[in-house]
Amino acid sequence: MNLKETIFEKFKDGIFLNTFCPHCKKQIWPPSNNCKDCFNKTVLKEIENKGILLEMSYSHIPKQENFFGIGDFSGIRILGTIVEKNIKVNDSITIYNIKIIDNKISIEFGNYNK
Ligand SMILES: [Zn+2]
């Protein structure tokens, strides 16, 4: 299993993993086998699946018409699609679903209290 598949599989068990650089003590998102700064190997680390929606906007790109936003999860900024319509900026959000599309991790945000 590659990195994205491992993250995808673990999410099915309710565990949200991200890559972490033990050298820089930094979260690496999007997940990568190597740190972007020091190129050392990263390790997988569990992250609390609760964040805050920092920004949101609407995408008019054909076949991708949707609300998307940037969520802050323990200091990691993650871009995702907003699947519930009543989410506003500064709301608590959760990663509702993880998909792999064209070998990229695609994230869906939902309301935290559900
Ligand atoms: Zn590093």
mmCIF file of all heavy atoms in Angstrom, residues 20-26 28 34-42, ligand 1:
data_model
loop_
_atom_site.group_PDB
_atom_site.id
_atom_site.type_symbol
_atom_site.label_atom_id
_atom_site.label_comp_id
_atom_site.label_asym_id
_atom_site.label_seq_id
_atom_site.Cartn_x
_atom_site.Cartn_y
_atom_site.Cartn_z
ATOM 1 N N PHE A 20 4.391 13.329 9.073
ATOM 2 C CA PHE A 20 5.051 14.212 10.027
ATOM 3 C C PHE A 20 6.557 14.061 9.854
ATOM 4 O O PHE A 20 7.058 12.946 9.705
ATOM 5 C CB PHE A 20 4.616 13.791 11.443
ATOM 6 C CG PHE A 20 5.218 14.603 12.550
ATOM 7 C CD1 PHE A 20 4.703 15.848 12.885
ATOM 8 C CD2 PHE A 20 6.298 14.103 13.290
ATOM 9 C CE1 PHE A 20 5.254 16.595 13.919
ATOM 10 C CE2 PHE A 20 6.848 14.851 14.323
ATOM 11 C CZ PHE A 20 6.325 16.094 14.638
ATOM 12 N N CYS A 21 7.265 15.179 9.850
ATOM 13 C CA CYS A 21 8.727 15.109 9.766
ATOM 14 C C CYS A 21 9.298 15.148 11.177
ATOM 15 O O CYS A 21 9.180 16.172 11.862
ATOM 16 C CB CYS A 21 9.281 16.264 8.940
ATOM 17 S SG CYS A 21 11.091 16.289 8.985
ATOM 18 N N PRO A 22 9.917 14.047 11.634
ATOM 19 C CA PRO A 22 10.459 14.013 13.008
ATOM 20 C C PRO A 22 11.656 14.959 13.161
ATOM 21 O O PRO A 22 11.942 15.416 14.264
ATOM 22 C CB PRO A 22 10.905 12.561 13.197
ATOM 23 C CG PRO A 22 10.339 11.804 12.037
ATOM 24 C CD PRO A 22 10.137 12.794 10.928
ATOM 25 N N HIS A 23 12.304 15.246 12.060
ATOM 26 C CA HIS A 23 13.469 16.131 12.097
ATOM 27 C C HIS A 23 13.040 17.595 12.300
ATOM 28 O O HIS A 23 13.537 18.277 13.193
ATOM 29 C CB HIS A 23 14.270 15.961 10.803
ATOM 30 C CG HIS A 23 15.527 16.759 10.770
ATOM 31 N ND1 HIS A 23 16.664 16.371 11.447
ATOM 32 C CD2 HIS A 23 15.815 17.928 10.154
ATOM 33 C CE1 HIS A 23 17.600 17.282 11.243
ATOM 34 N NE2 HIS A 23 17.110 18.231 10.465
ATOM 35 N N CYS A 24 12.102 18.064 11.474
ATOM 36 C CA CYS A 24 11.626 19.452 11.571
ATOM 37 C C CYS A 24 10.480 19.594 12.583
ATOM 38 O O CYS A 24 10.066 20.710 12.880
ATOM 39 C CB CYS A 24 11.113 19.935 10.223
ATOM 40 S SG CYS A 24 12.326 19.876 8.908
ATOM 41 N N LYS A 25 9.968 18.468 13.079
ATOM 42 C CA LYS A 25 8.806 18.447 13.976
ATOM 43 C C LYS A 25 7.635 19.210 13.351
ATOM 44 O O LYS A 25 7.048 20.109 13.952
ATOM 45 C CB LYS A 25 9.157 19.013 15.361
ATOM 46 C CG LYS A 25 10.384 18.374 15.982
ATOM 47 C CD LYS A 25 10.232 18.204 17.460
ATOM 48 C CE LYS A 25 11.376 17.502 18.160
ATOM 49 N NZ LYS A 25 12.128 16.519 17.395
ATOM 50 N N LYS A 26 7.357 18.846 12.128
ATOM 51 C CA LYS A 26 6.362 19.562 11.343
ATOM 52 C C LYS A 26 5.439 18.598 10.608
ATOM 53 O O LYS A 26 5.891 17.569 10.117
ATOM 54 C CB LYS A 26 7.120 20.420 10.319
ATOM 55 C CG LYS A 26 6.471 21.712 9.989
ATOM 56 C CD LYS A 26 7.430 22.646 9.280
ATOM 57 C CE LYS A 26 7.613 22.270 7.836
ATOM 58 N NZ LYS A 26 8.384 23.289 7.103
ATOM 59 N N ILE A 28 3.333 17.492 7.447
ATOM 60 C CA ILE A 28 3.499 17.674 6.003
ATOM 61 C C ILE A 28 2.178 17.333 5.312
ATOM 62 O O ILE A 28 1.763 16.163 5.287
ATOM 63 C CB ILE A 28 4.623 16.756 5.431
ATOM 64 C CG1 ILE A 28 5.909 16.825 6.275
ATOM 65 C CG2 ILE A 28 4.876 17.070 3.959
ATOM 66 C CD1 ILE A 28 6.631 18.141 6.277
ATOM 67 N N ASN A 34 8.578 12.203 1.920
ATOM 68 C CA ASN A 34 9.753 12.957 2.354
ATOM 69 C C ASN A 34 9.372 14.393 2.689
ATOM 70 O O ASN A 34 8.503 14.981 2.057
ATOM 71 C CB ASN A 34 10.822 12.952 1.250
ATOM 72 C CG ASN A 34 11.352 11.553 0.993
ATOM 73 O OD1 ASN A 34 10.810 10.817 0.177
ATOM 74 N ND2 ASN A 34 12.372 11.169 1.713
ATOM 75 N N CYS A 35 10.061 14.935 3.662
ATOM 76 C CA CYS A 35 9.837 16.321 4.072
ATOM 77 C C CYS A 35 10.255 17.266 2.939
ATOM 78 O O CYS A 35 11.290 17.059 2.304
ATOM 79 C CB CYS A 35 10.661 16.595 5.321
ATOM 80 S SG CYS A 35 10.596 18.306 5.849
ATOM 81 N N LYS A 36 9.443 18.282 2.708
ATOM 82 C CA LYS A 36 9.738 19.236 1.628
ATOM 83 C C LYS A 36 10.924 20.143 1.977
ATOM 84 O O LYS A 36 11.561 20.711 1.104
ATOM 85 C CB LYS A 36 8.521 20.122 1.361
ATOM 86 C CG LYS A 36 7.359 19.375 0.757
ATOM 87 C CD LYS A 36 6.184 20.333 0.545
ATOM 88 C CE LYS A 36 4.886 19.598 0.307
ATOM 89 N NZ LYS A 36 4.205 19.194 1.539
ATOM 90 N N ASP A 37 11.197 20.302 3.268
ATOM 91 C CA ASP A 37 12.278 21.198 3.694
ATOM 92 C C ASP A 37 13.618 20.486 3.850
ATOM 93 O O ASP A 37 14.627 20.964 3.367
ATOM 94 C CB ASP A 37 11.898 21.879 5.016
ATOM 95 C CG ASP A 37 10.722 22.818 4.832
ATOM 96 O OD1 ASP A 37 10.572 23.375 3.720
ATOM 97 O OD2 ASP A 37 9.947 22.982 5.782
ATOM 98 N N CYS A 38 13.611 19.349 4.559
ATOM 99 C CA CYS A 38 14.896 18.697 4.849
ATOM 100 C C CYS A 38 15.077 17.380 4.095
ATOM 101 O O CYS A 38 16.132 16.759 4.183
ATOM 102 C CB CYS A 38 15.043 18.467 6.356
ATOM 103 S SG CYS A 38 13.939 17.191 6.978
ATOM 104 N N PHE A 39 14.042 16.920 3.385
ATOM 105 C CA PHE A 39 14.047 15.699 2.574
ATOM 106 C C PHE A 39 14.200 14.414 3.381
ATOM 107 O O PHE A 39 14.344 13.340 2.821
ATOM 108 C CB PHE A 39 15.111 15.766 1.455
ATOM 109 C CG PHE A 39 14.961 16.976 0.584
ATOM 110 C CD1 PHE A 39 15.855 18.034 0.675
ATOM 111 C CD2 PHE A 39 13.885 17.105 -0.283
ATOM 112 C CE1 PHE A 39 15.696 19.176 -0.101
ATOM 113 C CE2 PHE A 39 13.721 18.233 -1.058
ATOM 114 C CZ PHE A 39 14.625 19.271 -0.974
ATOM 115 N N ASN A 40 14.149 14.512 4.708
ATOM 116 C CA ASN A 40 14.162 13.295 5.516
ATOM 117 C C ASN A 40 12.840 12.553 5.344
ATOM 118 O O ASN A 40 11.834 13.130 4.948
ATOM 119 C CB ASN A 40 14.359 13.638 6.995
ATOM 120 C CG ASN A 40 15.817 13.824 7.337
ATOM 121 O OD1 ASN A 40 16.650 12.964 7.053
ATOM 122 N ND2 ASN A 40 16.131 14.958 7.948
ATOM 123 N N LYS A 41 12.873 11.265 5.684
ATOM 124 C CA LYS A 41 11.674 10.437 5.593
ATOM 125 C C LYS A 41 10.645 10.873 6.638
ATOM 126 O O LYS A 41 11.000 11.179 7.772
ATOM 127 C CB LYS A 41 12.064 8.973 5.849
ATOM 128 C CG LYS A 41 11.638 8.057 4.707
ATOM 129 C CD LYS A 41 12.032 6.635 4.981
ATOM 130 C CE LYS A 41 10.922 5.647 4.646
ATOM 131 N NZ LYS A 41 9.946 6.000 3.651
ATOM 132 N N THR A 42 9.393 10.908 6.226
ATOM 133 C CA THR A 42 8.328 11.278 7.157
ATOM 134 C C THR A 42 7.752 10.026 7.823
ATOM 135 O O THR A 42 7.962 8.911 7.343
ATOM 136 C CB THR A 42 7.196 12.020 6.426
ATOM 137 O OG1 THR A 42 6.717 11.186 5.383
ATOM 138 C CG2 THR A 42 7.663 13.340 5.850
HETATM 139 ZN ZN ZN B 1 11.929 18.010 7.706
#
